[in-house]
Amino acid sequence: EPGPIDLSRYGGRSGIPTFAGAPIALTPEDLIAGDVDVAIVGAPLNMGSGWRGAQHGPLALRLIGRVGGNDQYTQISPSRELNIVDYGDIAIDQDSTERSMQHVREIVREIAETGAVPFIVGGDHSLEYPNVAALVDVYGEDNLSVIHFDAHYDVGRDRAHFIDHGQPIYRLLADGHIKGGDYIQVGLRSGSPSESGYKWMREQGFKYHSMAEVERYGWDYVLERILSEAKADGRKLHISFDVDVLDPSYIAGTGTPVSGGLTPREAIPIIRKLCAQQEVVGFDIVEIAPEIDPTYVTNLHSAAIVQACLIGVSMRK
Amino acid sequence: EPGPIDLSRYGGRSGIPTFAGAPIALTPEDLIAGDVDVAIVGAPLNMGSGWRGAQHGPLALRLIGRVGGNDQYTQISPSRELNIVDYGDIAIDQDSTERSMQHVREIVREIAETGAVPFIVGGDHSLEYPNVAALVDVYGEDNLSVIHFDAHYDVGRDRAHFIDHGQPIYRLLADGHIKGGDYIQVGLRSGSPSESGYKWMREQGFKYHSMAEVERYGWDYVLERILSEAKADGRKLHISFDVDVLDPSYIAGTGTPVSGGLTPREAIPIIRKLCAQQEVVGFDIVEIAPEIDPTYVTNLHSAAIVQACLIGVSMRK
Amino acid sequence: EPGPIDLSRYGGRSGIPTFAGAPIALTPEDLIAGDVDVAIVGAPLNMGSGWRGAQHGPLALRLIGRVGGNDQYTQISPSRELNIVDYGDIAIDQDSTERSMQHVREIVREIAETGAVPFIVGGDHSLEYPNVAALVDVYGEDNLSVIHFDAHYDVGRDRAHFIDHGQPIYRLLADGHIKGGDYIQVGLRSGSPSESGYKWMREQGFKYHSMAEVERYGWDYVLERILSEAKADGRKLHISFDVDVLDPSYIAGTGTPVSGGLTPREAIPIIRKLCAQQEVVGFDIVEIAPEIDPTYVTNLHSAAIVQACLIGVSMRK
Amino acid sequence: EPGPIDLSRYGGRSGIPTFAGAPIALTPEDLIAGDVDVAIVGAPLNMGSGWRGAQHGPLALRLIGRVGGNDQYTQISPSRELNIVDYGDIAIDQDSTERSMQHVREIVREIAETGAVPFIVGGDHSLEYPNVAALVDVYGEDNLSVIHFDAHYDVGRDRAHFIDHGQPIYRLLADGHIKGGDYIQVGLRSGSPSESGYKWMREQGFKYHSMAEVERYGWDYVLERILSEAKADGRKLHISFDVDVLDPSYIAGTGTPVSGGLTPREAIPIIRKLCAQQEVVGFDIVEIAPEIDPTYVTNLHSAAIVQACLIGVSMRK
Amino acid sequence: EPGPIDLSRYGGRSGIPTFAGAPIALTPEDLIAGDVDVAIVGAPLNMGSGWRGAQHGPLALRLIGRVGGNDQYTQISPSRELNIVDYGDIAIDQDSTERSMQHVREIVREIAETGAVPFIVGGDHSLEYPNVAALVDVYGEDNLSVIHFDAHYDVGRDRAHFIDHGQPIYRLLADGHIKGGDYIQVGLRSGSPSESGYKWMREQGFKYHSMAEVERYGWDYVLERILSEAKADGRKLHISFDVDVLDPSYIAGTGTPVSGGLTPREAIPIIRKLCAQQEVVGFDIVEIAPEIDPTYVTNLHSAAIVQACLIGVSMRK
Amino acid sequence: EPGPIDLSRYGGRSGIPTFAGAPIALTPEDLIAGDVDVAIVGAPLNMGSGWRGAQHGPLALRLIGRVGGNDQYTQISPSRELNIVDYGDIAIDQDSTERSMQHVREIVREIAETGAVPFIVGGDHSLEYPNVAALVDVYGEDNLSVIHFDAHYDVGRDRAHFIDHGQPIYRLLADGHIKGGDYIQVGLRSGSPSESGYKWMREQGFKYHSMAEVERYGWDYVLERILSEAKADGRKLHISFDVDVLDPSYIAGTGTPVSGGLTPREAIPIIRKLCAQQEVVGFDIVEIAPEIDPTYVTNLHSAAIVQACLIGVSMRK
């Protein structure tokens, strides 16, 4: 009979690592039977062309544990407030990003259709494409905003392939799933976009907050602007969090790092506030490449970001 | 209804790491319902006083994967020949080895009572005490031999505590579970035993093969002697494999390493041969401390040792 | 004849690493004969159940060197202002925290009785129990305040053992050595305390400053509040500094890290100011687990914390 | 005017790392003008699905240096006996192995057509496909033998894609470039081939020497058999050396390691002997993934393998 | 015929790593023929007596790449605005700093004499001596200011040797190349200078900004003071950037780290602003010791510093 | 009053690391008063031009501990049979190898003059020069043989400096301290010597055993030849052990590694046998560069080599 499978012995964990120490679900029926609020699912896609290793991101987050426990600030334990499950990993064709897209979209959609919020743990950032497309499938066009945290703008318009980790947003726009005006980008500081790229983005209606803006006005000011912009449209929200939005000092384990990024003490609160302020219907964290960081620091901060959103979601219950 | 729980999606692994990629069982009823041949169970005990970290041994072996697949030499796939399960981890009191002993013994016994062979993944070497005691509980005195692979003899007789990682064999003898004559030790080369220690061991009937013997006569000769001695009594067999029997060049991830140990190409065949030659009713691999080795080499060789025994066990089917 | 033993050759260090490059003392008579101001002593206790390794903390600080030299800000060289010694390591029973407590307390007391300030280098945080108890033995009840820097509150009230690294403060209160009102906690951000825990702490009179407070009001504000509170009672002071109060980005080498902690540029000044503002009669730095950090960064910041307090102590001379 | 470009200053290296410290050539005209014997070329292809990172293999070998210097055994300096150049890297489409194949084949062919021996530094093992195809383009069918050193047989017959790192040999046969009987495989020990795989290989005429054979008969015996078999047909030879034929203890930096492999002292002499015994017209070394090995050991042994072949080639001059 | 040598194939990089992916020049004639604006040159000097390894700094920066690309803030691509070359490495006598000084000075001078700006990548900080001396050779006394970013003041006056990494500034003054008043020091926080050292520096007219000043007044205030002081004299500027001015949390790969340093988000903007505000005629970055940092973080931040100055230089074009 | 200073508390180690856990002696008077058999002294010289770091060799061996304890093979505990002391470190001028030579020679001579055997822990291999010179000072010409274990022959004859790590043997011959015929070299396999180098060595009467000889005849044969040659002259013996004689797989922590070296199970027995067979009057172990090896394996094998000689020395008592 369907429902989440509890792997714990003695009422605690039994050594088999799952996201948030949660029970496991493998089918939509399990989600429905378990009245699941959040289904965390791995998508070990690894086709980025930098220092690869993003395929082990899901494993890293299963191992680190710390995402469902009590939060000092809010005195909320997501694991107690929410029905959370580990929905396993999505099958990936590691030899073709393009072939992986449709199946990721199907799984994310089947989660969302049950009313659960999919938390996708990547994997590289090409995942933003099927994740957002799936949510639009379920919630309809013009009902979704996306906040994209990233050192890179990921709107590459002249790429050799249909999809790769540098163009998910462009592909979403080109395929008509979403509009530039539905997007807020935060933390941009890589070589791109160029001036013409920025021009195109402005024409498309993108809102963005680069690290240049943070250097000039300070994070507190930028934080408030982002919260206001996000609140203004009041729509359902997807957050796509590329861990390289953080400075490589904090996230050494990622494939295309850029100096000059956010600190954890800047990133954690904004995620918690966004997830508490608005109805989050999807969340992805991508580009965790744990083997590049010989310490556990990358995994720890990544988990804190996931937990921050879980806390926010819990606060709305 | 009882039985192993299959976590695979698409007929393959779904991202949740288990020993040998096997289904999960959490109760003896699961083992019986699944007609389980081998139950691999973690025992993350970590009280050794060297460079600690043995508590992560079970996780390391769940992650490395490679233990149930096809073997070139024998053309046997243990996962196909045997019903293998991941029996989860045993609860450990990390603040007291002594308090952990009884519960480990209970779980190992409950596995063995179903007829399944417990493969215990440590954790430190104090586990040899409850493992062997549990097997004697099930199979009776005088029906079990033990082969102890280790750089250390683990027969400390004057320790401050009832049990620790340096005295499991002494404790087994002192408590009357087994006799010195039931033991073969392989790979000894640490500071102990002293001359008086060796004298006592000979009085107790221990058989042993130190690295000094290997230096003098070569491994091929020693290998044959061990196989002959093991075969001679024809009894049921428990193998206790401390990974530090291997040279630290191959197993950097262990807490009390000693220079001058075996190579993987010496250790893997002897384990396969022993497990094929005799009826193995228990197997433990201990002192894997993965975080001390910044590569995956320790985990890989450890998995190869476990697989070697699974192949041997399969060959008898 | 008693007195510190100088191991230097050529008037400099001779290769044998000691705390602060200081002479060695092994008995209270040595401390008295040398008119010693500060005795730095190692307590390599390692029973925490996270990623262990705290037993090598004393070694790490002996090796890193950089404590005792000139400070730019104050133009003070602690090694010149103070008679500092390395008091060696305290014997620890690595198989039982409980059995280690009494002996640590004896050694800390024998240092304090000579008038020297014990600087205890851990080892895990269960050390706070014997350290504070010993100081109360010497200075009497109601004469001591403690400032506890830590990501964790360490007031666990329902633990399986008499003492472990999660409950030293509770044990101190339960045994009547000190009161909740004698405590200021700084940097709390782990899962505990829960709401009921906070309620209990407030009932006991604890003062505390969580990272939630820092997020809301900023560090400058919190810093001033802590200095004021500490100054208000004007009593002798013990500082217990768990390095995990710093963010894991700065202190990767610790066993129970929590994202979102202090930076070195926040922590170093507050320690210097506290040690200059009040009469420090004890200082401990705990949970340094150097092997978890493949760089020297953990050790370097840890040494800077110790030096900051030595500078403060020097400023009062 | 064409010809190798010497980047050295002061007659030595000037800091810009090239293969073997050699001059650079970028066109076939450069090779002809320089009467080049050996052109070392990088092919940073990285589509294997294990622990990736093979794309940095060419860089690793440029950095390690040690491949053209004097050899003690033979008193030969390849850099003195041979005109060696660094031919730069071949452009790779990191999002599609299939699309990269044709261009690699073109570049290898353009090298071979000048009479120079291409030494290809991978990159993953799918490179064996274009490398061998290019040599057949130049030297004609039935004029080439290949010795494949690898833990894996790389004859996958039922793969989802046209080409990947597990099937280059199958693809070569399927496309009619070469026959099974032209192949000698050395060091096999992974899960594959299964019994049916071996049967198929025997039907195709493959010669192979697994580690099971080495376990049974010893390396000296197997070494002689390989040399005899290779000598028997007397044809031009391509060597495809996957570094995972070595045990992971020696080559931690590779993506699909298997326990129980060759040692450097077994592998280096056989390569030197093969390259001296027969006319080598192509050589590739693949699956070096330097970032997985935190030491330089992987790179050092890889360089020693390249040098061993250069020495052999020099001995025939 | 002279001129920069372009090693790119397909119009892109061909695998041979150069500074900023730039063409190579090896003689002054190449610089003149190529109308070169910036010549980046390696000086792999490694005689510091801490944790050595600075000799691999040039290699590290050649490998990391990211220094000529587009900058988000300014929308400038240095590689497009400036003619940049990799001028190779300067020959160093690794057994004598003193013997290396004259040749470094010659090469830096030969670059500067063509009108190109030398960017010297060290190597240890003794390089500041020949770098500044060479610039004075070309531009004359009293025409040059130097800003020295460093945790250390490098004005050691009582050293055993003519030159070492702790006294380049003293040697410059003692030899009459420059005056104390021409110097601004930023980030001082090591044990030196003592009070007498500061007194001497003030007598010589040095301007300096220690981390104590930053602690007291905040970075924004100090930043403005430095920019003002630098602007006040309006002379040509050399920047000597020791990476240990950054906190070891960000630059683990350096030999004499000191806790409590700048962050990348403080350092990058000041470098960009200085290089835009004034005519920079020389720049050195020293004490990058990449092997001490097992991540790429040290190299990444170092590259960002170099890029920040290249951007500033570009802004003046 | 003179004599070794015992730093132990409770009759055991007290946390201050010394060689072999031995008492400390700082003057010849201490050695005489303590009737010292073996004085282990550090010489942290670090001027090699490869991957530096040999200056931390003495520290590494003080930390690893395991050198005075019981040996299984011989049942001898060097610490019980011999009076061993830690003689501290010798002062080194890290900016000039040449200036360091005379002082090292003085200290080694002052040890040998008391009748104690100096065990010098380097530091780089230029130390062989003062070590051997000092022993000749004490024991006279023609009374000493030297066995040099090394991948390199260290007889560089055309170097820029009076002394460096590539020419200690040449310098000894050139200065007339010893003759080529007094030397046995073991393990040679680097690029040098060339044919002319070998010719010169043969003219000088050197005996040598390269790895080429080991490849051709096997280690057992070479081992016996070395023991015979060493025994033949029956003179006092100095052993100079460069850890790079071992393969880099076992000793990653060294500065000029060469693939294809000895294994620990080859090296440890020959050292024990040599030290038991002949009167050893000096021993040095050099080129341990611990920070290059992220594991403890280099240190462990290095300690095993030192212990092997201590055991041999003990066997003659």
Side-chain angles (χ1 to χ4, degrees), chain E residues 107-156:
Chain E
I107 298 281
V108 175
R109 189 168 52 208
E110 86 182 23
I111 294 169
E113 281 171 343
T114 71
V117 182
F119 271 53
I120 301 100
V121 179
D124 75 44
H125 218 157
S126 52
L127 290 165
E128 189 173 358
Y129 172 68
N131 295 349
V132 171
L135 294 173
V136 172
D137 289 343
V138 175
Y139 296 106
E141 283 183 50
D142 298 324
N143 290 320
L144 188 74
S145 296
V146 184
I147 305 194
H148 172 88
F149 288 85
D150 200 335
H152 311 83
Y153 80 143
D154 288 2
V155 197

Side-chain angles (χ1 to χ4, degrees), chain A residues 189-195 198 212 215-216 247-250 252 254 257 259 261-262 266 292 294, chain E residues 66 69-75 249-250 263-265 268-269 272-273 294-297 300-301 304:
Chain A
R189 66 188 185 281
S190 73
S192 298
S194 62
E195 288 198 332
Y198 265 126
E215 178 185 331
R216 198 174 302 182
D247 193 82
S249 313
Y250 311 110
T254 196
S259 189
L262 294 179
E266 289 167 339
I292 304 177
Chain E
R66 311 155 195 268
N70 187 49
D71 173 61
Q72 286 261 339
Y73 200 153
T74 60
Q75 286 297 336
S249 313
Y250 311 109
T263 70
R265 273 166 56 190
I268 293 169
R272 186 181 61 235
K273 288 175 186 187
T295 71
Y296 50 69
V297 175
L300 204 54
H301 289 319

Side-chain angles (χ1 to χ4, degrees), chain A residues 112-256:
Chain A
E113 281 171 343
T114 70
V117 183
F119 271 53
I120 302 99
V121 179
D124 74 45
H125 218 157
S126 52
L127 291 165
E128 189 173 357
Y129 172 68
N131 295 348
V132 171
L135 293 173
V136 171
D137 289 343
V138 175
Y139 297 105
E141 281 183 51
D142 298 324
N143 290 321
L144 188 73
S145 295
V146 185
I147 305 193
H148 172 89
F149 288 86
D150 199 335
H152 311 83
Y153 80 142
D154 288 1
V155 197
R157 287 172 293 154
D158 50 356
R159 317 288 284 212
H161 292 269
F162 175 77
I163 180 70
D164 64 41
H165 74 138
Q167 56 158 306
I169 300 179
Y170 172 73
R171 183 58 47 210
L172 283 165
L173 267 71
D175 286 9
H177 297 292
I178 203 162
K179 302 195 186 64
D182 301 327
Y183 255 90
I184 304 175
Q185 293 181 316
V186 181
L188 306 181
R189 66 188 185 281
S190 73
S192 298
S194 62
E195 288 198 332
S196 70
Y198 265 126
K199 182 161 173 296
W200 186 85
M201 275 169 57
R202 280 189 297 267
E203 289 167 5
Q204 300 294 324
F206 278 89
K207 291 176 280 294
Y208 49 82
H209 301 277
S210 69
M211 291 309 293
E213 183 184 337
V214 175
E215 178 185 331
R216 198 174 302 182
Y217 301 104
W219 174 248
D220 288 347
Y221 171 82
V222 175
L223 165 64
E224 288 309 318
R225 284 194 57 197
I226 297 166
L227 290 173
S228 301
E229 284 174 7
K231 198 173 193 173
D233 74 14
R235 293 191 293 183
K236 288 177 170 56
L237 184 66
H238 177 72
I239 295 176
S240 186
F241 193 93
D242 186 325
V243 295
D244 69 21
V245 76
L246 293 171
D247 193 82
S249 313
Y250 311 110
I251 294 278
T254 196
T256 52

